[in-house]
Amino acid sequence: MTVLDARALNRALLARQLLLDRADMPALDAVAHLGGLQAQEPQEPFVGLWSRLRGFEAPALSDLLTGRDVVRAHLMRRTVHLVTAGDLLAWRARHGAMLRQRVLGVYRRELAGVDLGELESAGRELMSDGEPRSMGGLARELAGRWPEPGPRALGEMLLAALIPVVQSPPRGLWRTKGAVRNFLVSSWLGREVDPLPADASDPVGRALVRRYLTAYGPAATADLRAWSGLAGLPAAVAAMRGELVSFRDERGRELLDLPGLPRTDAATPAPVRFLPAFDNAILGYHDRGRVIDDAHRGLSVSGARVVLVDGRAAATWEFEEGTVVVTPLHRLSRVDRAAVAEEGSALASFLSDRDSDRVRVGTF
C-alpha cells in the first residue's frame, strides 16, 4: 500500500482546500466544495474565501446570505457553520442526534426532567409565527412551563439541537454587527429539512463521506469524525469500501480517498496564505499536524489566525487599525518575510475596503 508522507499530505490538503492555487469559482460553489465554513466568528468566512478565490469580493458572500442561498446554522461539531441552503436541508436531520447529545453533554443535569419531544413541539409552535427569536427570548417564553433548567439550557437545546433554525442577517454580513436572530428553516427557506430514510441505508452519511474526501482527502476515519462530529459514519465508510482507495501515512494509519481525484506532487511550491480563525484547513482533521507543528498545536483551538508559509503555520496575524500585524512563530527567511508582507498587504487592502495596505511583520 502506498505510503503518503507528511509533505504529500500537506500538499493534498492545500490543493483540496483551494489554498495551493486560488480558484476561479463563484463563492457559492466554493462554500459547497468546502462542505461549509466554520462561522462562529461571523467575519472570518470572508477571509477564508478571499484566501481561496481569485478576485473574491466581500459583497458577493453578503448577497448570498441575504438571498438565502447560503445560511448560518449549527451543524458540524455543534458549531455555527456557513453552508449552502441545499446542504443544510440535506444534512440537518443526519446531524440531529449528534447535536442533541452534545448539548446534553453540557446540560444533562439541568434538562433531566424535560421531555425533549414536548420541548421541541412547544418551541416550534412559538416560532411558527415567522418572527425571529433570540435564544434567550425563546427560552424566557417557555420558562413558565419549564422553570428548572434555566434559560440558557432551554435555549441551547432548542436552537442548537431540537429545532432546525438559521441565524438571519444582518448577522454574518460584511463589516456588519448583528445580534443572533433565529428563524425556522421552514420559514426562511420555504420547506422543511429532508427527513432521514426509514431504512438504515444512510445515503446522507455516504454523501458526507464523498464530500469530505473531495475537500479534505486522503484522510482517516478519525479525521472524518473530527470534521463532522458524527460517530456513525464508519458504517457509511464500510458500505462504500468498494468505491474508495486506500493509502497509509507514516504512522501506519489507513487513509481513504475517492479514486480519480488529483494528489498533488509533494514537491509543488506552496504560496503564503492567511487563514481566518478556526479555518477548515485546521479543524477539518483529527491530525492537525498536517499544517501545525506539535510545538504550536494549541493554536488550532485558541482561535488564532495563522499564516501558512510553505504550507505550514509559521506566524499568527491580527488586523489592527488598518494594519495587518504578523507575529512569526519562528525565524523567517528574507524571501519568506517578503512574501508574507506582500500577501499581508493585499489582505489589509481587502479588509479595509482598499483604504489601507499596511502590513507589519514582526521579528522572532
Side-chain angles (χ1 to χ4, degrees):
M1 186 180 294
T2 302
V3 175
L4 300 176
D5 64 20
R7 188 176 175 87
L9 291 175
N10 172 269
R11 291 310 191 255
L13 175 154
L14 297 176
R16 303 283 178 95
Q17 285 288 303
L18 312 180
L19 291 167
L20 203 56
D21 293 301
R22 280 187 166 92
D24 289 309
M25 92 172 42
L28 181 63
D29 293 348
V31 174
H33 168 78
L34 296 167
L37 291 89
Q38 212 281 348
Q40 199 82 12
E41 298 294 334
Q43 295 296 299
E44 300 301 304
F46 291 94
V47 176
L49 291 178
W50 177 83
S51 288
R52 290 171 164 89
L53 302 181
R54 189 169 289 112
F56 172 71
E57 297 288 347
L61 181 55
S62 290
D63 289 347
L64 291 174
L65 281 160
T66 56
R68 308 189 187 195
D69 299 297
V70 163
V71 293
R72 291 172 48 84
H74 286 92
L75 207 59
M76 283 75 76
R77 306 184 302 278
R78 196 175 72 86
T79 56
V80 177
H81 272 71
L82 198 71
V83 295
T84 68
D87 282 345
L88 180 64
L89 292 167
W91 295 354
R92 176 55 175 79
R94 183 64 176 80
H95 287 75
M98 177 271 292
L99 295 172
R100 289 190 295 275
Q101 287 303 311
R102 291 208 170 193
V103 175
L104 285 173
V106 179
Y107 297 110
R108 188 175 300 278
R109 181 179 301 172
E110 291 89 338
L111 295 166
V114 176
D115 184 304
L116 297 184
E118 291 181 9
L119 179 61
E120 178 182 355
S121 296
R124 283 181 178 273
E125 183 177 356
L126 281 175
M127 296 190 72
S128 64
D129 61 7
E131 294 297 318
R133 294 297 203 290
S134 68
M135 182 176 73
L138 180 60
R140 284 190 293 273
E141 290 183 76
L142 295 170
R145 186 169 174 182
W146 289 282
E148 293 85 3
R152 186 160 190 85
L154 279 181
E156 287 214 23
M157 177 52 79
L158 277 166
L159 297 180
L162 292 180
I163 307 176
V165 299
V166 300
Q167 297 181 357
S168 65
R171 185 76 169 176
L173 299 184
W174 176 239
R175 296 170 68 90
T176 301
K177 292 183 178 180
V180 176
R181 292 293 183 266
N182 301 277
F183 283 87
L184 289 175
V185 167
S186 56
S187 297
W188 191 251
L189 297 180
R191 53 169 280 199
E192 297 285 353
V193 301
D194 297 342
L196 292 175
D199 59 26
S201 57
D202 196 14
V204 180
R206 285 178 284 164
L208 285 167
V209 172
R210 294 187 189 97
R211 291 284 293 281
Y212 176 76
L213 292 176
T214 299
Y216 296 84
T221 55
D223 297 321
L224 174 60
R225 180 171 181 174
W227 169 73
S228 67
L230 299 173
L233 290 177
V237 170
M240 299 171 60
R241 277 286 175 176
E243 61 183 275
L244 301 177
V245 294
S246 297
F247 303 91
R248 297 255 177 222
D249 66 12
E250 293 174 300
R251 292 181 291 161
R253 295 193 317 160
E254 183 184 36
L255 306 175
L256 302 172
D257 206 1
L258 296 170
L261 291 181
R263 280 171 281 280
T264 304
D265 191 299
T268 302
V272 169
R273 289 290 184 259
F274 282 69
L275 299 185
F278 305 115
D279 190 80
N280 294 38
I282 296 173
L283 295 189
Y285 299 90
H286 177 262
D287 178 13
R288 294 170 183 173
R290 291 199 185 201
V291 293
I292 297 180
D293 294 339
D294 286 343
H296 307 298
R297 187 172 295 273
L299 294 176
S300 66
V301 294
S302 68
R305 301 177 174 113
V306 305
V307 184
L308 301 183
V309 176
D310 193 28
R312 302 198 63 79
T316 61
W317 69 275
E318 293 291 341
F319 187 58
E320 302 172 355
E321 300 180 349
T323 302
V324 168
V325 180
V326 178
T327 304
L329 298 172
H330 56 72
R331 188 177 300 278
L332 301 176
S333 70
R334 181 177 300 177
V335 171
D336 287 339
R337 286 180 63 86
V340 168
E342 181 179 5
E343 185 75 355
S345 179
L347 177 59
S349 179
F350 171 76
L351 291 173
S352 67
D353 290 331
R354 298 180 175 84
D355 187 54
S356 167
D357 61 359
R358 296 190 299 274
V359 60
R360 184 169 71 247
V361 182
T363 57
F364 182 82

